[in-house]
Amino acid sequence: MSPTTSRRLKRTALGLLVLLGVGLGAGYYMLRSAGQTQVDGSISLSGLKAPVKVLRDKAGIPYLFAENTPDLIKAQGFVTAQHRLFQSELFRATWRGELAATLGPDTLPSDIRMRVLGLQRNGLKHAEKLSPESRAFFQHYVDGMNAYIANNASDFPLEFKLLGLQPKPWVVSDLVTLVHYIHYSHATNFKAEVVAQKLIDKLGLERAQAIFPLTHSPDWSTKTSHAMPDAQRNDWAQLNVDWNHLAIRPDTLNHQGLGSNNWAVGPSRSASGKAMVANDPHLDNRILPGTWHPVGLFSPDIQAVGAALPGMPGIMVGRTKHVAFGVTNAYGDVQDLYIETVDPQNPANYLHAGQSVPFGVIKETLRIKDKTAPGGMREQALTLRTTLRGPVISDHEGLGPKGDKVLVLRSTDAEVLGPQIGVEHLLTAPDAAAFDREVQKIDLMMFNFVFGDDQGNIGHRATGAVPIRSGKDGGFPRLPDPGGADDWTGFIPKDKLPGMFNPGRAWVGTANHDTRPDAYPWYYTNYVAPSYRYARMGQVLGQSQKMTVQDHWTLMDDNHNLQSDALRPALMAVLKTDPAQVDLARILEQWDGVDHADSAAPLIYQALYREIALGTFSDELGADVTKDMLSTWYFWQQRFDTLLQTPDSAWFDDTSTPARRETLADVIRAAAPRARAQLEALQGKDPGAWRWGKAHTLRFVSPLRRKGAGQELVGGFTVERGGSGETLNRGVYDFQKPYEVAFFASMQLVVDFGDADKINAVLAGGVSERHFQPHQNDQARQWVAGRRGNWWFNPEQARAHAVSTLTLTP
């Protein structure tokens, strides 16, 4: 949820707090009842063929028992609505571009962005193309949600009444549009392309490419890194682009580190002699109850437990009867920016293949909540333009020296509208090989699936329809082919996407890094995570034998920062020669490179790392472009490590002092006083008393009260965290607003096929969105304390641990 959305929700929070202040009177009982949904007795759910039992354990996790699969999926939709209807309604309003109608003008930029992207338009088209089987799968879930909405208004969360919001029925296209929203939010390459264009505008293509992203994998047979090819490309242009030119500029310009870890080990590395799978998806999960909804699903054909996305049938992470799986973001490049030229003779047209072609025009109406308008609502017209390649995202003043250029976003979610979503049969795959074939049907979610099965097989597969480009990469905006040829010539074959099956080393894993094998024949992406986390994963898994469940938890909580190996020696060499900074050098010399929350060294290191990066690039790029680039962590980190290997690189020279040639050592000397002053302002004059965790905090918040007094009363709390953006125990902060944690493990899960009763897992959140009841944040507190729970896979164990029983009746 955007910061603007949360501001509009403050009034709702204040209403809740006023009611809470009534104490033991009517307001107290109103809040308590609003914090509960019906979990015992019976509720009618029309359309069922037979009753469905919903058992809940002490954590509030629902376990659904149905006599057939359609009833099971319908019940999942119903129970998800019980727990997450308010969250689901806000998400749907987000991707539909309808937030302003509920929350007012602060959310208008989000609505405009979604309308320009056309997520709902694409979702509607896609839903029409689904096969009858796929449509039925999603319809069952929708029917369950709608049954709850139609017949259980008295059970709705109190937030609906306080906001004056009435939930509306859902349709299949809403669930399909959720997939398109996932596609947009995970396929962030266009943001990196805009950063690349800003570098081109500042430096020219050849000089800019010297600091374009590098990718690296420890699995490659050589230690070289991959850069974007072809420095002599002639399909680029000077645009002088600014984020304010873009109608789809994000709420925050910082890509802070969306990602995850997952791995699987084979029987030879497992204490149980069976395959094991681990996963911890890294998301901005600060808003309670978090992203994931845990659920157990049981029918004659299905036995599964894990975590689902509200609005998506089945599970995305967890264990089925035969297969366990987890996901990370693969960053397959499925977006390209094109530089189109407006016809100078007719601004209603653009030039394509030497011809003047009319822009497509879409007219939409935005509704905006406004208490000063008649009826409390006003309307705003929105006119969108499109080309053959996609929507114009720079419908502002013209770009480029002549002002005749516009930027157009091409994205696979507008073109690849297949007959299935690809998740329909994940719950019933009989083994790992079949599961691999199933995930290859996914077109619009660029995930790395890691999986294992009950026979001891393990594997990895990247998913999504990734274009093959004719001799070009997708790393920065480009001019269309002058002859009109389509430079998307096809798609990488799904069975050739990065992956492996039963490798000899007996482990597989991903950490958002470059997973391409050696000599991969296609451009896949240039925007991935640096290899630090994957390298650390390999260090441990490559040496481990007889791993237990606890060993996997220990690895997920690992705080070793391998990136620091690239810079720390230079830091110590320089700082120990500076009397004013020798105390910092001494602390760094004693540091083991582990980002402990109670240590000063990680804080000192992160402050120096930031200031050295700023000092390296600001003279060439200027302050604004430097911050844009550095805020996009994956864009520059691997490249910067390579620069550090050449201390006299021209990038370390200060262009404002032409009479001198500075080196890395000079940049460090200049950065140290700046970093020290910042830390002294934060934590006092004594470096020995500094602590990483005191600065590196994580705030869980209610969507209704993100800031200010009363956060704790609606479920919020703050904790100190170890780790960093470079460690397996992830704690990514916004580069421009250090050091508060923004991206972290949204959940953690370990599956051991040697345990037939359960999986071990925990959410960094809770099961239910409802305020003033324990399951809004109880698992977040468990997660913070390092405790995990049992999610029951054996149906008899689910029955034995039930604390409530609800029967859904036909």
Side-chain angles (χ1 to χ4, degrees), residues 174-411:
D174 288 327
L175 306 194
V176 176
T177 306
L178 167 61
V179 175
H180 286 249
Y181 182 75
I182 294 170
H183 175 282
Y184 161 71
S185 60
H186 283 208
T188 57
N189 177 264
F190 89 87
K191 299 178 188 176
E193 287 192 46
V194 173
V195 173
Q197 182 64 48
K198 296 185 81 168
L199 296 182
I200 292 170
D201 290 343
K202 196 76 176 180
L203 303 171
L205 177 61
E206 185 171 358
R207 178 72 167 146
Q209 284 200 311
I211 52 172
F212 275 0
L214 283 179
T215 67
H216 175 71
S217 172
D219 292 339
W220 294 339
S221 57
T222 65
K223 293 185 178 182
T224 58
S225 298
H226 290 178
M228 288 192 289
D230 191 6
Q232 303 304 314
R233 279 176 46 174
N234 59 4
D235 59 344
W236 62 281
Q238 198 89 13
L239 294 183
N240 301 318
V241 69
D242 187 86
W243 285 106
N244 290 326
H245 296 148
L246 305 184
I248 62 169
R249 60 187 180 275
D251 287 318
T252 172
L253 304 184
N254 306 311
H255 180 263
Q256 300 167 353
L258 182 71
S260 309
N261 307 314
N262 61 5
W263 61 80
V265 299
S268 66
R269 294 193 182 275
S270 165
S272 68
K274 301 290 187 179
M276 302 180 77
V277 176
N279 188 202
D280 58 336
H282 305 154
L283 302 169
D284 185 348
N285 209 61
R286 291 173 289 181
I287 300 177
L288 295 167
T291 303
W292 301 99
H293 183 240
V295 65
L297 301 169
F298 302 94
S299 73
D301 298 322
I302 292 171
Q303 181 182 354
V305 64
L309 293 171
M312 183 80 71
I315 58 175
M316 291 301 295
V317 178
R319 176 180 181 176
T320 68
K321 188 177 295 186
H322 300 293
V323 182
F325 51 93
V327 295
T328 71
N329 196 3
Y331 286 106
D333 187 353
V334 293
Q335 297 174 327
D336 279 339
L337 290 179
Y338 289 85
I339 305 166
E340 306 272 18
T341 302
V342 178
D343 183 349
Q345 306 302 318
N346 182 359
N349 287 18
Y350 66 101
L351 301 180
H352 173 71
Q355 303 295 315
S356 180
V357 179
F359 283 104
V361 177
I362 299 172
K363 293 186 178 294
E364 303 218 2
T365 301
L366 298 162
R367 300 178 71 244
I368 305 158
K369 186 176 182 179
D370 184 348
K371 63 182 180 181
T372 67
M377 194 74 65
R378 62 182 169 89
E379 294 185 347
Q380 178 175 317
L382 180 66
T383 300
L384 312 174
R385 294 190 296 173
T386 65
T387 73
L388 291 171
R389 280 163 281 274
V392 176
I393 66 169
S394 63
D395 244 340
H396 198 67
E397 66 267 17
L399 303 176
K402 298 181 180 179
D404 62 345
K405 307 298 184 188
V406 294
L407 273 179
V408 169
L409 176 65
R410 185 178 189 182
S411 180

Side-chain angles (χ1 to χ4, degrees), residues 82 95 103 316 364 431 449 477 505 572 574 672 763:
Q82 281 190 304
W95 66 65
L103 302 176
M316 291 301 295
E364 303 218 2
D431 53 40
F449 278 91
R505 68 189 188 183
M572 292 184 294
V574 173
L763 303 175

